[in-house]
Amino acid sequence: MRKILLNSLFTSPALLGAALMMSSSAFAAQKTEVAGLPALEVGTQSKAIAPLAEVKTLADVKSLSTEKTAEAVKPQVQVAAEFSPAKSVVVNEPVKVAQAATEAPTTPSVDSLNQINRYSREGQGANASNAQVTSVSQLSDVRPTDWAFQALQSLVERYGCIAGYPDRTYRGNRALTRYEFAAGLNACLDRVNELIAASTADLVKKEDLATLQKLQEQFAAELATLRGRVDALEARTTTLEKQQFSTTTKLAGEVVFALTDEFGVRGTGGNNTVFQNRVRLALNTSFTGKDLLVTRIAAGNAEGFTLPAGSGAEGAQTFNFGNTDGNRGFIDWVAYYFPVGEKLRFYVPAFAGLHYDYAPTISPALDAADGGTGPLSVFAQRNPIYLIGGGAGVGANFNLNNAFQISAGYLADNSGTGFVGGANNPGQRGGVFNGSYSALAQLTFNASDALQIGLTYVNAYRSQGAIFDTGFGSPTSGTRFANQGGVTGLNALGSTTSAQVNAYGASVAFKLSPQFVINGFASYVNADFVDDGAGTRSIWTYGVGVAFPDFGKKGNLLGFMAGAEPYLSNPSAAQRAAGVGNSIPLHLEGFYKYQLTDNISITPGVIWVVNPGQNTNNDDIVIGTLRTTFTF
């Protein structure tokens, strides 16, 4: 059909344009029949199609209730990559599509989601508007030797109603349907009307107008159907926009199921096999496209195993981290990220902020921000120095250049024990500056794409809590004696209600290949336990991790960790009398995360702690876990 029209109508460019014009956003490569009719084809020149430039893919349509529109989504992803608050995951929530209130009489019933998806396959947002060509040479598959070259050139020069696909192809050898012809005719009609309105009617030949009039009559049904469908689609798109959850907020979620048991500790009753869970739902909001407000809800029911005397949090797993109060939900993280210029990024947590929310931890393969997609234990993820304190405050990153980055932050505890208040408590020993706090400074050196080094210093005052407690008073890593006893009232063992802390750490990561990453860390903590009569104490921790990303399948992760959880290297006389020696609590861990689908992973693993509680007389801790993680 196309060749016949071209051969017979060289002298009538408008008709030829109607026959040959192809839309950049509507000529889908795959046709879908609707109500027994061929696929709808729409030219980009038709003004009725402009609103669809904001809709990109079916996934974008599904997420309209919780996600920003197409232009706002991209900055959200960029913000997540820049700040790495890896406490959340992306989610797209489907929405109901309301029937349009009014619809053209000639318009068949159409599923709007399928239509939008079909329209978007060939054009992507801004790219669709670029499909209009100003020179036939812009069409990569049309050559001067082609039989239609001169006719196409004439159409472009006289009427400008030729359009190609976004990839700058014309695809003139493909069979033309009546609806494709009607779409091209509609575009050329609009173009001729524009020329007439612009007082350039002398450019339009009378014979072309007569031909267009005849074509309008012949294709009246197709043109009416075409325009009716577009009107209905616009109405339904407007309905989607009105019914969406938010234009600025994206929902993210993670659910962890864990079947776990502790096999090493003997005693009354021992430990039984348990089935535990943790749920996290986050609302990630961006107001400018470069900032990020995080509001997260969490719930869980994980209870810790019975451990040997003197043990603190050795072997604590990531799903033990957070609320374990019978699956009752609560807000467990509120924070705001925003940039100032190109090099400076700020982090302001109002609740449950952590130093590793903003400072690079130099553990690219194993650090999953206590989520369910990395190692089993908290210790295996990163240097425990980042666990000293947490809460409300401020953090910042400054990129000196491509190689060096400076991080600094101050966090006041969110809660305290007994009479000690948190950052939100105006009491005598509460508030932002009069209670427990931790201040971090770090220099990160990116020697190359493969090598990264971090030097970290933390100054902290820990009052009536633990040292490695993330600002909530309960230890998350290390022995009880490295955490001031972990609770108050243990002065017989040399622990006191507070400690002044100076911690020094170093971390390094080296990527031998994208599938083989080694990281290591070591930290020394000088702690002055107030009024214990023993002077300053030394606390040590160190470890080496080996990770194999995409092991066996993309998304999988095989990992091993060996090291010493935080332990007190010079216990007091009272502690020695209680059975504490210089035994080092060694932590050994192996796990394999298998990515079952894009949203479901299964992770079997084993944690083995030797000399828990810094005591060789204690039974080893052996924990076996089968973890299933759902992200959405």
Side-chain angles (χ1 to χ4, degrees):
M1 178 177 178
R2 200 173 289 200
K3 186 169 182 179
I4 294 173
L5 286 171
L6 283 171
N7 283 333
S8 61
L9 297 174
F10 277 115
T11 60
S12 183
L15 176 58
L16 186 57
L20 294 177
M21 201 289 302
M22 287 196 177
S23 164
S24 64
S25 68
F27 288 3
Q30 298 178 1
K31 300 295 183 292
T32 304
E33 293 191 1
V34 180
L37 296 175
L40 172 62
E41 307 294 343
V42 183
T44 51
Q45 293 86 346
S46 176
K47 297 179 182 177
I49 302 203
L52 295 182
E54 294 299 322
V55 183
K56 289 189 174 182
T57 65
L58 182 57
D60 294 330
V61 178
K62 287 183 178 180
S63 62
L64 282 177
S65 65
T66 56
E67 173 66 282
K68 300 178 282 296
T69 52
E71 283 303 314
V73 174
K74 184 163 56 176
Q76 180 93 1
V77 178
Q78 180 181 355
V79 169
E82 289 177 352
F83 294 117
S84 296
K87 294 183 177 181
S88 56
V89 258
V90 175
V91 63
N92 288 323
E93 181 176 321
V95 298
K96 296 180 180 179
V97 182
Q99 181 70 23
T102 59
E103 197 167 291
T106 56
T107 303
S109 176
V110 182
D111 179 6
S112 62
L113 290 182
N114 289 335
Q115 282 197 44
I116 295 172
N117 190 35
R118 187 168 69 252
Y119 291 147
S120 65
R121 287 195 185 109
E122 291 296 338
Q124 291 290 324
N127 290 338
S129 62
N130 294 331
Q132 180 67 46
V133 299
T134 58
S135 171
V136 71
S137 61
Q138 293 177 257
L139 300 171
S140 61
D141 59 347
V142 177
R143 297 176 177 82
T145 56
D146 290 341
W147 61 275
F149 181 82
Q150 294 297 330
L152 290 173
Q153 188 176 43
S154 176
L155 283 169
V156 172
E157 292 174 354
R158 287 185 58 81
Y159 295 104
C161 59
I162 293 294
Y165 285 86
D167 62 358
R168 292 299 183 187
T169 60
Y170 186 69
R171 309 181 191 179
N173 293 325
R174 193 168 62 106
L176 187 69
T177 69
R178 285 184 63 86
Y179 277 90
E180 289 177 336
F181 189 96
L185 174 60
N186 184 65
C188 281
L189 285 172
D190 289 342
R191 178 58 179 158
V192 170
N193 288 332
E194 290 176 6
L195 292 174
I196 294 175
S199 299
T200 54
D202 56 322
L203 298 178
V204 183
K205 296 181 179 181
K206 292 182 179 180
E207 54 268 30
D208 292 342
L209 291 174
T211 303
L212 287 172
Q213 185 177 2
K214 292 180 181 179
L215 286 171
Q216 277 186 283
E217 296 173 356
Q218 182 178 357
F219 285 86
E222 286 80 6
L223 288 171
T225 301
L226 174 69
R227 289 167 178 168
R229 290 179 181 179
V230 172
D231 290 342
L233 188 57
E234 283 184 344
R236 295 184 182 190
T237 302
T238 301
T239 300
L240 285 174
E241 292 175 349
K242 290 180 179 179
Q243 292 181 346
Q244 61 184 315
F245 168 73
S246 172
T247 59
T248 59
T249 302
K250 173 184 288 186
L251 175 66
E254 180 188 82
V255 178
V256 174
F257 289 177
L259 186 66
T260 183
D261 198 354
E262 197 285 320
F263 301 98
V265 177
R266 298 185 298 271
T268 305
N271 289 302
N272 296 314
T273 302
V274 292
F275 191 7
Q276 301 174 333
N277 76 84
R278 186 187 66 185
V279 179
R280 285 177 170 177
L281 300 174
L283 298 176
N284 299 324
T285 304
S286 180
F287 303 101
T288 67
K290 296 183 179 180
D291 61 343
L292 179 64
L293 173 65
V294 182
T295 307
R296 194 177 67 188
I297 305 170
N301 66 353
E303 297 183 11
F305 291 115
T306 299
L307 300 180
S311 298
E314 296 113 309
Q317 301 186 73
T318 58
F319 53 85
N320 300 129
F321 190 69
N323 184 40
T324 59
D325 192 10
N327 277 325
R328 289 190 290 184
F330 78 115
I331 303 295
D332 82 326
W333 185 33
V334 181
Y336 183 53
Y337 294 87
F338 64 95
V340 176
E342 295 296 326
K343 294 185 176 182
L344 184 60
R345 300 288 185 270
F346 278 99
Y347 168 62
V348 182
F351 182 76
L354 300 167
H355 288 299
Y356 56 81
D357 291 338
Y358 65 92
T361 60
I362 326 297
S363 181
L366 295 180
D367 194 343
D370 305 306
T373 58
L376 295 176
S377 71
V378 176
F379 174 75
Q381 294 185 105
R382 67 188 76 85
N383 193 330
I385 195 171
Y386 298 103
L387 300 173
I388 300 178
V394 62
N397 283 326
F398 182 75
N399 289 319
L400 293 174
N401 50 44
N402 294 330
F404 290 95
Q405 178 178 336
I406 295 176
S407 304
Y410 175 93
L411 300 177
D413 285 18
N414 282 128
S415 61
T417 304
F419 59 88
V420 179
N424 62 312
N425 190 322
Q428 182 179 3
R429 300 187 63 183
V432 176
F433 303 107
N434 202 38
S436 294
Y437 75 89
S438 63
L440 176 144
Q442 177 171 302
L443 176 64
T444 303
F445 175 48
N446 299 301
S448 65
D449 293 338
L451 179 62
Q452 189 178 32
I453 301 172
L455 301 176
T456 309
Y457 168 74
V458 174
N459 175 269
Y461 181 76
R462 315 310 300 145
S463 179
Q464 276 197 318
I467 292 179
F468 304 92
D469 66 353
T470 66
F472 281 95
S474 298
T476 56
S477 183
T479 68
R480 186 182 69 182
F481 305 102
N483 285 286
Q484 303 169 250
V487 295
T488 58
L490 296 175
N491 290 326
L493 299 180
S495 65
T496 60
T497 58
S498 58
Q500 186 66 48
V501 174
N502 288 282
Y504 310 85
S507 303
V508 60
F510 185 67
K511 293 183 180 180
L512 281 76
S513 73
Q515 287 76 41
F516 186 21
V517 183
I518 299 176
N519 73 286
F521 61 81
S523 289
Y524 165 72
V525 180
N526 182 281
D528 182 6
F529 297 130
V530 179
D531 298 330
D532 69 344
T536 59
R537 301 295 195 71
S538 297
I539 299 170
W540 289 90
T541 181
Y542 42 83
V544 176
V546 179
F548 301 89
D550 300 329
F551 186 84
K553 178 184 176 182
K554 185 174 179 60
N556 292 357
L557 178 62
L558 175 65
F560 302 94
M561 166 57 68
E565 297 211 23
Y567 67 96
L568 190 66
S569 64
N570 55 341
S572 66
Q575 289 170 326
R576 291 181 183 277
V580 180
N582 290 324
S583 302
I584 298 174
L586 297 177
H587 178 112
L588 306 174
E589 181 175 343
F591 69 94
Y592 181 54
K593 185 195 75 168
Y594 181 78
Q595 199 68 39
L596 192 64
T597 69
D598 290 342
N599 302 98
I600 304 175
S601 64
I602 298 176
T603 307
V606 176
I607 301 170
W608 179 19
V609 180
V610 182
N611 301 327
Q614 303 183 217
N615 194 333
T616 55
N617 296 323
N618 285 334
D619 296 326
D620 292 353
I621 300 172
V622 180
I623 301 174
T625 298
L626 179 63
R627 182 186 68 195
T628 302
T629 305
F630 307 86
T631 58
F632 53 91

